DNA sequence: TCGGAATACCTGATCAGTCAGTTACTGTTG
DNA sequence: CAACAGTAACTGACTGATCAGGTATTCCGA
């Protein structure tokens, strides 16, 4: 019946300790992301996924970005992208056009309203990153922390599971 | 009409640069968390929220934890907790009992199956943390990075929005 | 150049969360 | 101790994602 539970052996106890420690760290990463996402939602009235799309489109300037590419930048299935862009189009933030180079594809582009929203949300976001990610850390750690996050962003990109 | 777009002034250009940089970092945190969460789901057959509940309950040993407390540890409304625990109960991972000290409350406790699942998932999780968070960083950075994450986990806790 | 595999997007069904409101109980205060 | 505010958990309606499958188009090799 295993009534001794999770820490019934020394080996398990050691694992348990480690996981609890790391569990909190993961929780930290998750909560920080959650806080930043919520802030965008509350202060700018768009979801955090919409915000990320605005950033992606802003980076591409006025070339337009395919649905596919948006799905790959984010962690979102193609169906998810379709619906997300649907809502953004309804909200007047983006517009879709046929891709002249591939008649299956569609290109997504910022509207002027979308651009303004991107700038506004970016400002809010930046401020929140400063407050929640940077200021709590000792001055001397900040640079290295950001550098490490940058490294991890690349491994994360490679490790991303393929979504349909 | 603002056809110049996101980078139409020098001020905006500077902001844009900053946001894109930080945007990637946020994305990194998000993606790492996502990867870890997906791994648990794929390899252990439980959602990442279930896993966090298992950890919380494991930490409390066999005292039982109130729904309220679970909701506060995680970022989840009370309705969300009710439904999450419903599913976990259905899956045989936890059991609910009335709280003898407060007849409004219920206490949630691990079942033996839940304990085994917690240990299994924790092992998977630990391995993934090592691979995705630690190994990519230079040896000399790892300690400080973990320390910084620990600091941030505390500010994150304080900054959490109150969910009903 | 024809036919099948791959690709880009969309859609119906479902799932897991939020939100707002309800019920049952507790704690407080006049 | 009666009234009433506050609290813990639950629920119906809704939202925004996934998944699986569909259609139109493109790519590629025999």
């Amino acid at each position: 019946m295993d009534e001794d539970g999770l820490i019934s052996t020394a080996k398990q106890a050691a694992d348990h300790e480690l996981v609890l420690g790391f569990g909190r760290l993961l929780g930290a990463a998750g909560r920080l992301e959650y806080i930043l996402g919520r802030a965008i939602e509350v202060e700018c009235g768009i979801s955090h996924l919409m915000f990320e799309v605005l950033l992606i489109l802003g980076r591409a300037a006025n070339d337009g970005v395919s649905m596919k590419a948006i799905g790959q930048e984010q962690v979102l299935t193609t169906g998810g992208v379709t619906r997300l862009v649907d809502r953004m189009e309804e909200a007047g933030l983006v517009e879709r056009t046929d891709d002249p180079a591939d008649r299956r594809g569609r290109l997504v582009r910022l509207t002027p309203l979308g651009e303004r929203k991107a700038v506004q949300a970016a400002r809010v976001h930046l401020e929140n990153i400063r407050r929640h990610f940077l200021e709590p850390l000792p001055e001397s750690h900040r640079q290295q922390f950001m550098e490490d996050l940058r490294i991890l962003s690349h491994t994360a990109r490679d490790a991303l599971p393929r979504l349909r």
Side-chain angles (χ1 to χ4, degrees), chain A residues 57-125:
Chain A
L57 298 184
R59 207 181 308 160
N62 33 24
D63 295 343
V65 175
S66 72
M67 307 286 282
K68 177 78 190 288
I70 292 173
Q72 280 170 340
E73 287 271 345
Q74 321 228 135
V75 183
L76 211 53
T77 59
T78 68
V81 174
T82 295
R83 277 155 183 159
L84 178 58
V85 173
D86 283 350
R87 291 192 299 279
M88 294 180 74
E89 205 170 13
E90 244 169 74
L93 298 171
V94 302
E95 58 194 6
R96 263 189 273 225
T97 56
D98 290 333
D99 181 349
D102 182 344
R103 306 203 325 148
R104 291 166 304 179
R106 323 239 21 219
L107 293 178
V108 185
R109 220 181 299 273
L110 286 179
T111 62
L113 174 61
E115 294 182 357
R116 283 197 297 280
K117 210 55 164 172
V119 172
Q120 180 208 347
R123 211 161 268 150
V124 167
H125 187 57

Side-chain angles (χ1 to χ4, degrees), chain A residues 16-163:
Chain A
H16 195 217
E17 269 314 298
L18 272 171
V19 167
L20 288 189
F22 279 115
R24 286 176 195 278
L25 296 186
L26 172 61
R31 272 189 284 272
L32 286 165
E33 227 247 321
Y34 180 85
I35 288 168
L36 294 178
R38 290 288 290 194
I40 294 287
E41 282 170 33
V42 171
E43 295 173 43
C44 307
I46 57 173
S47 76
H48 70 285
L49 286 177
M50 287 187 183
F51 174 54
E52 286 208 35
V53 171
L54 291 182
L55 284 186
I56 291 168
L57 298 184
R59 207 181 308 160
N62 33 24
D63 295 343
V65 175
S66 72
M67 307 286 282
K68 177 78 190 288
I70 292 173
Q72 280 170 340
E73 287 271 345
Q74 321 228 135
V75 183
L76 211 53
T77 59
T78 68
V81 174
T82 295
R83 277 155 183 159
L84 178 58
V85 173
D86 283 350
R87 291 192 299 279
M88 294 180 74
E89 205 170 13
E90 244 169 74
L93 298 171
V94 302
E95 58 194 6
R96 263 189 273 225
T97 56
D98 290 333
D99 181 349
D102 182 344
R103 306 203 325 148
R104 291 166 304 179
R106 323 239 21 219
L107 293 178
V108 185
R109 220 181 299 273
L110 286 179
T111 62
L113 174 61
E115 294 182 357
R116 283 197 297 280
K117 210 55 164 172
V119 172
Q120 180 208 347
R123 211 161 268 150
V124 167
H125 187 57
L126 189 54
E127 184 48 36
N128 284 316
I129 285 178
R130 285 212 181 95
R131 178 158 60 240
H132 297 297
F133 273 80
L134 287 184
E135 284 170 15
L137 295 181
E139 181 83 38
S140 63
H141 283 205
R142 291 178 195 167
Q143 175 120 30
Q144 180 175 315
F145 183 76
M146 283 295 156
E147 187 191 328
D148 289 340
L149 263 189
R150 195 165 288 124
I151 292 171
L152 291 178
S153 81
H154 292 123
T155 36
R157 180 167 298 252
D158 298 340
L160 271 184
R162 283 287 177 108
L163 295 188

